[in-house]
């Protein structure tokens, strides 16, 4: 169960979980409140969401630590509690997740821009990631999920920080790309080819993309990763770009639509399929159905 | 190449020292301050905005260009005041409540200052009350809000609603922007304008205040 790399290398397709932010908001996270502060105050909410995703068939559950780096927490003056916030996020999930699934520790961007474009030195960002990832691993995270990265250099710093804490923790690293007339690039200008090479070189075990512009674009991105990388690929897509329906933010892609399109990801050899913004337990259930159906179909009896 | 064109091309290349040097040269040569600003710095930044919109350059280049522009503006600002060139107007800006992404908002702020506006920057995660209070206090006829997260877009509606509630609708106008924000969304929440990028935001602000 725990050996995620062994499983994906053996050809198994794993289903991840879906969005956390919207699930937290539905359970009382206020606008302007630090999402990770709930790790200290309302662990039962994390457990409730984890249980929903487990029941939907997720094989790893993401910790509520996307903004858990000290640099990001400083926006809410919570930087001194970074270790506690990250530790509690893992500890809250373990009783629910047990050995049924993996705990995947989320590490998102610090929100700082590296010199010379911004004002932050690489050592500061490295130190911030090391504190966060150190606490996550010490608390028993099964893997590190570095996600929504737009700057190759920051992604590398996060991967290197994970490596410095633990030489053998599995590292999944995914970036967010936008379509341009010249192909897919992050807003900082990293191409899929550069991402595939850079993430692997820094030490990622699984590479890919998350967030983004919907499942159809993700299929193109996955194909490009396949062309440029031999590593296992992870794709965790948004349920499309958000639309505004009478003041309500709606993500347009239904669970059925997403699962239907995600069949292409399996054809491309993607190893890990999950959701990002706008996806919920129903999306994960649909993806689970797709993966189970395919695995059965592929194994002649 | 004349000095103003060279300011523009140095700005596009993110050469901040060179932009400062050329701006100083233009000032020393006695060129009108407004011309250096409009034809040199703002003209150059508009080109950068266009290139970014067409995905020919990425955010790092825009950030370097914005920094270079700031160097030029720092030199021009005292002269603009000295010459009594009137402020183009006051604008209160900030990111919507819950949103901590400020790259876009900062860029708009720099370009508004460049265009001669007095900018009151409230920073990140600004509650509706603070937007409105600050605009009233400063006598600013315009509030500019940015959101990068879909989850915080809706909080911009709070500002528009609060202005109505306090009978300030029409007296204080609103412009919104940010990656997930569209013209349709602006119309729907009753914002007065939508800037689809930093350069366009400046155009829209000018149009709103000209019409006010």
């Amino acid at each position: 169960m725990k050996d995620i790399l062994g499983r994906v290398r053996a050809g198994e397709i794993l289903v991840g979980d879906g969005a956390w932010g919207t699930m937290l908001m539905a359970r009382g996270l206020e606008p302007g409140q630090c999402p990770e502060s709930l790790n200290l105050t309302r662990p039962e909410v994390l457990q409730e969401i984890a249980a929903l995703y487990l029941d939907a068939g997720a094989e790893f559950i993401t910790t509520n630590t996307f903004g858990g780096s000290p640099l990001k927490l400083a926006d809410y003056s919570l930087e001194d509690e970074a270790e506690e916030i990250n530790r509690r996020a893992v500890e809250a999930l373990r009783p629910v997740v047990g050995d049924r699934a993996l705990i995947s520790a989320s590490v998102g961007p610090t929100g700082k821009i590296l010199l010379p474009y911004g004002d932050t030195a690489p050592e500061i960002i490295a130190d911030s990631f090391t504190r966060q990832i150190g606490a996550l691993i010490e608390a028993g995270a099964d893997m590190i999920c570095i996600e929504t990265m737009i700057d190759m250099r920051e992604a590398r710093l996060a991967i290197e920080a994970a490596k410095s804490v633990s030489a053998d923790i599995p590292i999944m690293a995914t970036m967010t790309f936008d379509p341009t007339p010249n192909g897919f690039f992050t807003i900082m200008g990293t191409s899929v080819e550069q991402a595939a090479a850079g993430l692997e070189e820094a030490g990622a075990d699984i590479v890919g993309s998350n967030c983004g512009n919907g499942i159809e674009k993700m299929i193109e991105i996955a194909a490009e990763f396949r062309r440029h990388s031999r590593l296992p690929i992870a794709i965790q897509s948004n349920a499309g770009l958000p639309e505004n329906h009478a003041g309500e933010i709606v993500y347009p892609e239904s669970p059925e639509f997403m699962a239907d399109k995600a069949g292409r990801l399996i054809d491309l050899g993607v190893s890990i399929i999950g959701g990002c913004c706008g996806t919920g337990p129903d999306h994960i259930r649909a993806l689970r159905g797709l993966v189970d159906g395919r695995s059965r179909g592929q194994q002649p009896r | 190449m004349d000095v103003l064109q060279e300011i523009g091309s140095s700005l596009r290349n993110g050469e901040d020292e060179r932009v400062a040097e050329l701006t100083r040269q233009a000032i020393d040569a006695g060129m009108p301050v407004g011309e250096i600003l409009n034809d040199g710095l703002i003209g150059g930044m508009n080109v950068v905005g266009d290139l970014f919109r067409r995905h020919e350059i990425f955010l790092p280049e825009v950030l370097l260009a914005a920094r270079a522009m700031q160097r030029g503006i720092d030199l021009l600002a005292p002269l603009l005041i000295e010459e009594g060139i009137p402020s183009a107007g006051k604008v209160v800006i900030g990111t919507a409540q819950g949103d901590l992404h400020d790259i876009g908002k900062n860029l708009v702020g720099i370009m508004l200052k460049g265009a001669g506006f007095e900018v009151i920057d409230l920073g990140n995660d600004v509650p509706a009350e603070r937007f409105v209070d600050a605009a009233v206090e400063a006598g600013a006829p315009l509030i500019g809000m940015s959101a990068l997260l879909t989850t915080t877009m809706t909080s911009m509606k709070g500002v528009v609603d609060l202005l109505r509630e306090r009978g300030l609708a029409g007296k204080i106008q609103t412009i919104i922007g940010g990656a997930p924000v569209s013209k349709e969304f602006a119309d729907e929440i009753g914002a007065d304008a939508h800037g689809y990028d930093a350069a366009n935001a400046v155009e829209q602000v000018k149009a709103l205040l000209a019409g006010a």
Side-chain angles (χ1 to χ4, degrees), chain A residues 7-8 10-16 59 233 265-267 269-273 287-288 290-292 294-295 298:
Chain A
R7 290 168 69 193
V8 295
E12 198 179 330
I13 301 161
L14 300 189
V15 176
E59 290 167 289
I233 295 170
L265 295 178
I266 297 178
D267 298 339
V270 171
S271 301
I272 290 178
I273 301 175
L287 291 173
R288 174 84 268 160
L290 167 80
V291 170
D292 287 350
R294 284 296 189 101
S295 321
Q298 276 166 2

Side-chain angles (χ1 to χ4, degrees), chain A residues 80-204:
Chain A
D80 292 341
E81 292 175 74
E83 281 81 2
E84 187 75 357
I85 285 171
N86 285 285
R87 185 172 63 78
R88 296 264 204 107
V90 178
E91 288 175 357
L93 297 188
R94 187 54 79 191
V96 184
V97 173
D99 288 328
R100 285 171 70 194
L102 299 162
I103 295 180
S104 170
S106 172
V107 176
T110 59
K112 302 289 173 211
I113 298 176
L114 277 158
L115 290 167
Y117 311 114
D119 61 1
T120 307
E123 305 77 56
I124 308 243
I125 290 187
D127 180 59
S128 176
F129 281 138
T130 306
R131 274 182 65 192
Q132 178 184 17
I133 294 171
L136 291 166
I137 292 178
E138 201 182 305
D142 298 310
M143 59 189 276
I144 299 294
C145 169
I146 294 160
E147 56 179 344
T148 327
M149 286 288 161
I150 52 171
D151 182 350
M152 191 63 238
R153 291 192 301 151
E154 187 177 7
R156 293 184 67 118
L157 288 170
I159 295 167
E160 287 160 8
K163 285 272 169 208
S164 77
V165 175
S166 160
D168 52 8
I169 187 105
I171 301 170
M172 177 161 94
T174 57
M175 301 187 77
T176 300
F177 301 91
D178 292 313
T180 83
N182 306 315
F184 290 96
F185 289 88
T186 71
I187 194 166
M188 297 296 279
T190 302
S191 68
V192 174
E193 183 174 3
Q194 290 167 332
L199 297 172
E200 176 167 6
E201 199 182 83

Side-chain angles (χ1 to χ4, degrees), chain A residues 25 116 187 242 244 246-247 251, chain B residues 58-59 67 100 103 150-151 185 188:
Chain A
M25 276 185 277
I187 194 166
N244 177 55
Y251 285 82
Chain B
F58 294 97
L59 200 53
R67 184 187 306 170
L100 298 161
I103 295 174
T150 55
T151 49
F185 181 76
E188 211 174 286

Side-chain angles (χ1 to χ4, degrees), chain B residues 7 16-28 33 36-37 41 68-82:
Chain B
I7 287 178
D16 55 349
E17 292 297 332
R18 183 78 185 134
V19 168
E21 190 185 312
L22 290 165
T23 305
R24 169 62 58 202
Q25 257 179 44
I27 295 168
D28 291 346
V33 178
I36 304 173
L37 182 64
L41 295 172
M69 181 183 190
Q70 186 66 55
R71 290 287 301 275
I73 285 172
D74 288 346
L75 291 172
L76 291 178
L79 302 175
L80 287 165
I81 296 167
E82 222 171 82

Side-chain angles (χ1 to χ4, degrees), chain A residues 22 25 31-33 72 75-76 113 116-119 150 178-182 185-190 242 244-249 251, chain B residues 52 54-61 63-64 67 97-103 124-125 150-155 157 180 184-185 188-189:
Chain A
T22 37
M25 276 185 277
Q33 191 186 354
K72 189 80 191 157
D75 290 335
Y76 303 94
I113 298 176
Y117 311 114
D119 61 1
I150 52 171
D178 292 313
T180 83
N182 306 315
F185 289 88
T186 71
I187 194 166
M188 297 296 279
T190 302
N244 177 55
H245 295 170
E248 288 289 308
I249 304 302
Y251 285 82
Chain B
F52 181 62
R54 294 204 301 267
H55 305 284
E56 288 178 31
I57 58 171
F58 294 97
L59 200 53
E61 289 92 335
L63 293 169
L64 290 184
R67 184 187 306 170
Q97 182 164 33
D99 215 314
L100 298 161
H101 299 80
D102 62 359
I103 295 174
N124 296 335
D125 191 12
T150 55
T151 49
T152 52
M153 278 166 70
T154 41
S155 84
K157 183 169 185 293
E184 289 71 38
F185 181 76
E188 211 174 286
I189 68 167

